[in-house]
């Protein structure tokens, strides 16, 4: 079943240039999802997203600069954004931005910002 642009979802955008292992990528995506959920709890968008089953899509960007462009575009569009900076305990240096979560929001609001990105 494909998602429609009217459905609520959370987008996670992951950097691919850091050489993170699969487990590290999963942990960073989880950090992003939890941060976005905690920050947006109590909003109408969160309630709609929750009722829809908390759909998430994980996309990729090639580097920090591109992640910054996506974050800036999301902020400019008025979308909720959470950038995850690593604690530096394992595979990347402390403070490294690894990914971001955008939303939860309607797909038609997310699409102009993330529609050109590929799935991870």
């Amino acid at each position: 079943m494909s998602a429609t642009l009217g459905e609520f979802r959370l987008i996670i955008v992951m950097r691919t240039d850091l050489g993170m292992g699969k487990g590290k990528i999963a942990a960073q995506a989880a950090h992003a999802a939890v941060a976005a959920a905690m920050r947006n709890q109590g909003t109408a968008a969160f309630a709609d997203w929750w009722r829809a089953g908390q759909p998430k899509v994980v996309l990729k960007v090639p580097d920090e600069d591109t992640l910054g462009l996506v974050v800036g575009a999301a902020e400019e569009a008025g979308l909720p954004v959470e950038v995850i900076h690593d604690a530096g305990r394992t595979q990347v240096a402390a403070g490294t931005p690894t990914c971001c979560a955008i939303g939860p929001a309607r797909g038609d609001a997310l699409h102009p910002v993330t529609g050109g990105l590929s799935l991870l």
Side-chain angles (χ1 to χ4, degrees):
M1 177 187 302
S2 64
T4 66
L5 291 179
E7 292 178 343
F8 281 81
R9 65 189 74 139
L10 179 69
I11 302 291
I12 298 169
V13 181
M14 187 70 57
R15 285 178 59 185
T16 59
D17 63 323
L18 296 172
M20 296 183 292
K22 292 176 185 174
K24 180 71 170 179
I25 290 169
Q28 295 300 296
H31 287 319
V34 169
M38 297 287 290
R39 175 77 54 144
N40 293 287
Q41 196 170 10
T43 66
F46 178 89
D48 289 337
W49 174 70
W50 188 263
R51 279 191 298 274
Q54 310 92 51
K56 295 160 215 69
V57 178
V58 183
L59 305 174
K60 62 184 176 180
V61 291
D63 53 39
E64 183 176 356
D65 289 341
T66 309
L67 181 66
L69 291 172
V70 171
V71 168
E75 290 173 341
E76 188 173 309
L79 295 166
V81 182
E82 294 292 324
V83 179
I84 302 304
H85 293 86
D86 195 70
R89 294 186 193 102
T90 58
Q91 299 177 17
V92 297
T96 301
T98 58
C99 62
C100 73
I102 306 171
R106 286 175 48 103
D108 53 0
L110 293 163
H111 188 74
V113 174
T114 62
L117 301 177
S118 297
L119 292 171
L120 177 63

